[in-house]
Amino acid sequence: MGKVWKSAKELKESNVRWIDTRFSLQDPNAGKKLYDKGHIAGAIYLDLEKDLSDMNKTNGRHPLPDKDKLKYLFESNGLQYTDHVVIYDQGGMPFAPRAYWMFCFAGFPQVTLVKEGYEELVEMGLEVSTETSSYPASTLILQWNEDILSTREQVKVVSETSNGVLLDARSAERYAGIHEPIDSVAGHIPTARNLDWELLKEDGRFKEAVDVLSEVEAVVKQDEDITVYCGSGVTAAPLYAMLKEAGYPKVKLYVGSYSDWITAYPVDNKLT
């Protein structure tokens, strides 16, 4: 199994760059307020909607920024490929995994999610600061990892040919179209299977991969080509990370997800 999550106790390197991704979908300003109130010393803040999404785009609720915008984001924060990028949020949330996927997409070779949420990190004695961290700008030649990104058209091919598996990370009720609180159309992408991302966590942190493996393997096998999606490409990110932790070799994320799919193609309500 790969090591996606590590405890802060396991971080011995001197080249750690802390990334704070705390956020609230109900209050988009809450994360930055929390950061300003106190964060791990040296951490920069990456906002789900200002940094990890391009909210001016229309392909889904949290669209992926263009590569030039991402490059500028990393360079303006002084990030280097030699850094060990270590990401946290409140704990058991999808925001750090979303950033994790994006750093992997940008080809950063050392990216880790910490098992602990911010409050737990503070209790462990990590140094806290209220100063906004800033670093000299870097210059990056990014090696984009296109193999972990799926587009709407690629997803359509999987849906129509069953050449691969679509995995819906939303609740069973949303997947089945019984309850749809956000999107204008209820259901799921045709042929998709369902694995609720909430099953991956308990008590404010993500479970160990070995503890969810039986539930995961009941839905998808290790040798399948898997594309994960959710409503807007955020809560599918923990599922992506957990599959990688569990040693699944071929996993992609459809960032546009269901909110992008319904703008162009029909949905299904039949349970697979």
Side-chain angles (χ1 to χ4, degrees):
M1 297 192 186
K3 286 293 279 184
V4 172
W5 277 275
K6 288 182 184 176
S7 169
K9 295 173 190 157
E10 298 174 66
L11 302 172
K12 309 295 184 197
E13 302 90 344
S14 59
N15 62 331
V16 166
R17 280 293 308 271
W18 287 95
I19 312 290
D20 186 322
T21 60
R22 286 175 289 171
F23 194 78
S24 167
L25 290 166
Q26 289 72 41
D27 177 7
N29 297 315
K32 182 60 166 63
K33 286 177 184 169
L34 288 170
Y35 175 84
D36 290 340
K37 207 164 106 180
H39 50 265
I40 301 305
I44 58 166
Y45 181 68
L46 295 186
D47 185 285
L48 172 67
E49 297 191 342
K50 294 186 175 77
D51 301 312
L52 304 177
S53 311
D54 185 344
M55 303 302 280
N56 294 317
K57 288 184 169 184
T58 56
N59 48 328
R61 273 194 309 283
H62 290 102
L64 183 66
D66 291 336
K67 288 177 180 175
D68 58 344
K69 285 194 174 178
L70 286 176
K71 186 171 186 285
Y72 176 77
L73 174 69
F74 299 136
E75 290 182 336
S76 62
N77 283 295
L79 289 156
Q80 307 272 9
Y81 264 11
T82 49
D83 292 330
H84 182 181
V85 177
V86 177
I87 312 167
Y88 69 89
D89 56 22
Q90 298 98 307
M93 294 288 188
F95 313 118
R98 163 77 169 215
Y100 168 83
W101 179 88
M102 290 177 73
F103 276 99
C104 292
F105 175 58
F108 281 80
Q110 267 192 298
V111 192
T112 295
L113 290 167
V114 279
K115 291 178 179 177
E116 299 84 11
Y118 176 71
E119 296 300 334
E120 216 180 328
L121 293 171
V122 174
E123 286 168 19
M124 289 168 68
L126 272 76
E127 187 185 345
V128 171
S129 173
T130 55
E131 299 287 317
T132 299
S133 310
S134 64
Y135 297 86
S138 59
T139 303
L140 293 167
I141 300 170
L142 297 175
Q143 307 292 317
W144 298 98
N145 186 4
E146 303 284 355
D147 290 343
I148 66 171
L149 172 68
S150 266
T151 64
R152 187 201 300 158
E153 296 312 311
Q154 288 171 320
V155 168
K156 183 171 184 279
V157 171
V158 175
S159 175
E160 291 175 347
T161 64
S162 297
N163 184 18
V165 175
L166 301 176
L167 190 57
D168 189 320
R170 298 172 304 158
S171 69
E173 279 196 335
R174 287 186 73 192
Y175 169 81
I178 296 165
H179 175 63
E180 182 45 68
I182 306 171
D183 288 305
S184 59
V185 182
H188 57 264
I189 299 175
T191 75
R193 303 173 194 173
N194 180 223
L195 182 61
D196 186 347
W197 79 281
E198 299 265 7
L199 298 172
L200 307 178
K201 60 176 189 160
E202 65 181 350
D203 302 329
R205 62 154 70 186
F206 287 98
K207 299 177 186 176
E208 299 294 328
V210 289
D211 296 329
V212 295
L213 201 55
S214 60
E215 289 163 288
V216 171
E217 287 184 334
V219 183
V220 282
K221 303 300 180 202
Q222 292 245 357
D223 61 350
E224 292 182 299
D225 282 287
I226 303 160
T227 300
V228 294
Y229 77 90
C230 55
S232 72
V234 178
T235 59
L239 197 46
Y240 171 86
M242 187 63 77
L243 288 167
K244 297 310 292 181
E245 173 99 356
Y248 279 66
K250 296 175 285 190
V251 190
K252 297 183 174 189
L253 176 66
Y254 173 25
V255 178
S257 279
Y258 188 74
S259 55
D260 175 54
W261 176 267
I262 60 174
T263 63
Y265 299 120
V267 303
D268 195 355
N269 290 316
K270 294 194 292 291
L271 301 184
T272 310

